[in-house]
Each structure stands twice: as C-alpha cells, then as structure tokens.
Amino acid sequence: MNKKTTVILIAFMMVLTACSPTAGDQGPAGEQGPAGETGPAGTVSQEAIDAAVEAALAEREAEEGGTLVIYSGRKESLVADVIAEFSSTTGIEVEVRYAKSAALAGTLELEGAISPADVFFSQDPVSLGVVAKAGLFDRLPADVLDNVPSWAVDSNGYWVGTSGRSRSLVVDTRDVMDSELPGDIYGLADEKFRNRLGLAPTNSSFIAMVACMIESDGEEKVLEWLTSINGLGYGEYPKNSPQVAAAAAGELDIGMINHYYTLRVLAEDAGAPIKNVYLDGGCGAMVMPAGVGILSSSQNKSAAMAFIDFLHSQSAQETFTNTVYEFPLVAGIQPNALLPDINSLNSPSNLNWSALALWQEKAVELIAQAGF
C-alpha cells in the first residue's frame, strides 16, 4: 500500500469517526435506567471527505519537510558551498555526512530500508552502482535524466550525473619529460619510474579505475600491474590533493589523480611547476561523472528531488566548473578556460557503470592482495 492510499484511508476514518451515531441520554443516577434510543446516523459529504484528505496530506507533507539528510562522498571542501547555497535558496535544512564514496555505499547497504539518508551524492559512478545494485534507489524522472549526456546516467535511471571528472597524471615539470611518459596506465609499471610514483589506494576514484581495468583486462593483468607498482617503491597518499602538493614541492614526480586538483592549484598559482597529463586511452584516461540518487527509504523525497534539480541549475553547474574545475554536464554552461575540451579526452567508450559496480569489491580485494 503506498503512502497516499494510507493517508486517504486515515482521512476516511477521521471523517467517519466525526460523523458516527451518538448514544442517547442515560437514565438518572442510582438504579440504571434503560439506554436511550440511538440517534440518526450522520451523513458524509464529498466536501468533508476532500477536506479531510487534504488536511491529512498536508500533515504528511509537513512531516516530510524536515531536514534533508545527504550522504556525501564528495569532499566537503568541494561541495559545501553548493549545498549551503541550496539550503539558503530553498529554505530546506540540510544535514550532511561526509565520507569516502565507497565507504558510504557500504554503509547504505548495511542500513538498507532503515537508513536515515535521503540522498547519496557520490564522487564516482561505481559507488552509485553498488547502491543501485542493492535495490536502494528510486528511479528518477526522465526529464531529470535528460538534463545530462547519456554517458553520465545510470542505464536503469537510478542515478544521474552532476559533473564530470577525468583521471589524469599530475607531474612535476622540473623532473618529468613528456617523452618518458607512457600512453596508458599500464606503462607506469616500469623500472624507470622506481621511487617516482604516487597514488591513493583507498580513494574511491582510484578504486573505480581499478574496477574499470578488471572489467576491460581481467583480474590477472590488473593484479600483476598493482603488484609491480607496489614493488617500485610508490608513495602512498590518503587522497589526491596531497599528491598535487607533493609534486609542486618537488617531492613527487608523478601522481595518479583526478584532473581538477591540479587545476585548483594552477588557478591560484599559474607558475606552479606542475601540470596534468591525460593518457592516450584506457581506464587511466576514463572520464567519470560524479552523481546523485534518491534513497527509496527517504521520508523527504520532495526535498531530495529539489536538491537534484539544484545540482543541475546554472548556479551549481557554474560553481562546479569555475570553483571545482570540473566539467559541467548541463547544456549551455561554459566550461572553465583551464579545462581541456572534454571531447579531446580519450576515455573508454560505452563504459557500463553497472558492470563496474560489480567489480568494486574485487578491486578492493586486489589492491589489498597486491600489498597496498
């Protein structure tokens, strides 16, 4: 039974209770007298029914107008301003739980139908796919899905992209020559890169890249690559931004990151001795959407949908491209001048985000097996 049907039944009960027959007057005190005659039954007008239903639905909407709970795998430093603007613009109170996207996907699987979350805002499509595979998302309306390119949408309509992010290498331009860099990610497993590489093995986007590699090339090849990288004396970082800082400081030659971290530094200091290198193809060149979905268990779905609409608004899209330096996904938004043409990037075509979600657990397993 859906919520509206339940509310209507409750409303009918309210009306019928108000119009139920009344007992007659009782006899005098002392010896109990006979019960009075039952009065005539009341009548229920359509106007009374409509009013009761409207009142009950309004009460339900008031209950759903509470705090919007967002589980955000997007870093607070990247999206807090967008979320604050949404709250200020709409008047909707927001509570945000920040953590890694992969970890939040696991949390949502454990919480299931009793999750307090209304929205999952993920930095990568693989984590969104894990939640979709668990059957925890509502399908989104077609007009919402149509706001962005088809590659940035779940094939079953359970989540929609909000901005685009490319995998790239950040390099220290003082110590790295273009001619020595490989065309794909596998080329980094070379002796010439010993003690020169950095990565963040627990980062959700790195895990998504490894899942893509498994889907494309098989477990054996991916494990061999991970093990080789580990044997080259790589530098381990908790996330992407410290790799960029290390490269700028001359402490790291090559880091495996998402592109926008480098651009944020260059926007503040155009002379920083770093740059992005976009690989010629393969999963190391993949362009991924950050995205969002609404939990089926949400008690605040109207506010959740308003949040998605806001993420596709001109204001939010311009913030993503001009402040975070991501690719806008909604048509008509001018990308920031520091961004390459998204069509010039060599992301694998026709990536199946649902299939990659099936490999996330295996990707984590192989990363650990390789010794990271």
Side-chain angles (χ1 to χ4, degrees):
M1 182 181 297
N2 62 38
K3 292 176 181 175
K4 184 171 183 179
T5 302
T6 302
V7 169
I8 291 173
L9 289 175
I10 293 171
F12 269 114
M13 292 172 63
M14 293 165 55
V15 173
L16 291 173
T17 299
C19 299
S20 62
T22 56
D25 294 337
Q26 297 293 327
E31 183 177 343
Q32 184 172 338
E37 294 183 1
T38 300
T43 59
V44 183
S45 69
Q46 185 60 48
E47 290 77 8
I49 293 173
D50 291 342
V53 170
E54 184 176 349
L57 287 173
E59 182 177 352
R60 176 64 186 177
E61 288 175 2
E63 291 174 0
E64 291 191 350
T67 300
L68 179 70
V69 179
I70 301 171
Y71 280 14
S72 178
R74 307 236 54 198
K75 287 177 57 179
E76 185 172 5
S77 62
L78 299 179
V79 301
D81 289 347
V82 171
I83 294 174
E85 184 182 355
F86 163 74
S87 182
S88 174
T89 300
T90 63
I92 296 172
E93 294 185 8
V94 176
E95 177 185 329
V96 188
R97 176 176 175 178
Y98 292 101
K100 294 181 184 297
S101 293
L104 287 173
T107 298
L108 287 166
E109 282 191 290
L110 290 173
E111 292 176 341
I114 63 170
S115 176
D118 297 299
V119 169
F120 180 33
F121 189 15
S122 173
Q123 77 162 0
D124 71 274
V126 174
S127 297
L128 288 163
V130 168
V131 178
K133 179 168 66 75
L136 300 176
F137 279 143
D138 275 356
R139 281 191 168 89
L140 297 173
D143 60 335
V144 172
L145 301 173
D146 290 343
N147 282 336
V148 303
S150 59
W151 65 265
V153 173
D154 175 55
S155 59
N156 294 309
Y158 288 118
W159 56 264
V160 64
T162 54
S163 56
R165 300 143 52 254
S166 176
R167 292 298 291 175
S168 68
L169 305 179
V170 58
V171 302
D172 179 347
T173 56
R174 296 162 295 192
D175 294 326
V176 179
M177 297 181 295
D178 288 347
S179 60
E180 67 177 321
L181 291 171
D184 66 29
I185 199 74
Y186 289 103
L188 292 177
D190 189 291
E191 184 63 30
K192 68 182 176 182
F193 297 121
R194 178 171 292 279
N195 299 320
R196 301 177 68 190
L197 301 174
L199 57 87
T202 62
N203 178 264
S204 295
S205 293
F206 181 80
I207 294 169
M209 183 186 76
V210 173
C212 173
M213 295 166 72
I214 296 171
E215 168 74 7
S216 299
D217 305 312
E219 297 178 37
E220 184 176 347
K221 183 175 181 179
V222 175
L223 178 59
E224 180 182 356
W225 179 78
L226 288 166
T227 303
S228 296
I229 294 295
N230 191 12
L232 290 175
Y234 77 101
E236 184 169 320
Y237 295 84
K239 50 189 178 181
N240 288 327
S241 52
Q243 295 183 68
V244 177
E251 300 167 0
L252 174 66
D253 282 1
I254 304 168
M256 303 178 212
I257 64 165
N258 293 332
H259 78 279
Y260 50 88
Y261 290 99
T262 302
L263 299 188
R264 294 179 77 191
V265 172
L266 291 174
E268 295 181 1
D269 179 9
I274 57 174
K275 70 175 183 178
N276 277 330
V277 172
Y278 302 93
L279 295 173
D280 294 337
C283 295
M286 69 188 299
V287 177
M288 298 176 287
V292 62
I294 298 176
L295 279 304
S296 299
S297 57
S298 169
Q299 295 299 305
N300 208 352
K301 292 184 181 180
S302 59
M305 188 60 68
F307 179 63
I308 293 180
D309 288 340
F310 183 80
L311 294 177
H312 287 164
S313 70
Q314 179 176 345
S315 175
Q317 290 288 300
E318 289 181 345
T319 297
F320 286 138
T321 194
N322 292 320
T323 303
V324 187
Y325 302 98
E326 294 180 315
F327 298 97
L329 293 183
V330 175
I333 306 299
Q334 181 66 37
N336 186 277
L338 289 176
L339 290 164
D341 181 354
I342 193 170
N343 296 315
S344 72
L345 302 178
N346 296 306
S347 180
S349 60
N350 301 318
L351 284 171
N352 185 333
W353 304 121
S354 297
L356 265 58
L358 298 175
W359 289 115
Q360 176 166 273
E361 186 175 340
K362 177 58 68 174
V364 173
E365 179 184 322
L366 293 187
I367 291 168
Q369 188 176 340
F372 292 93

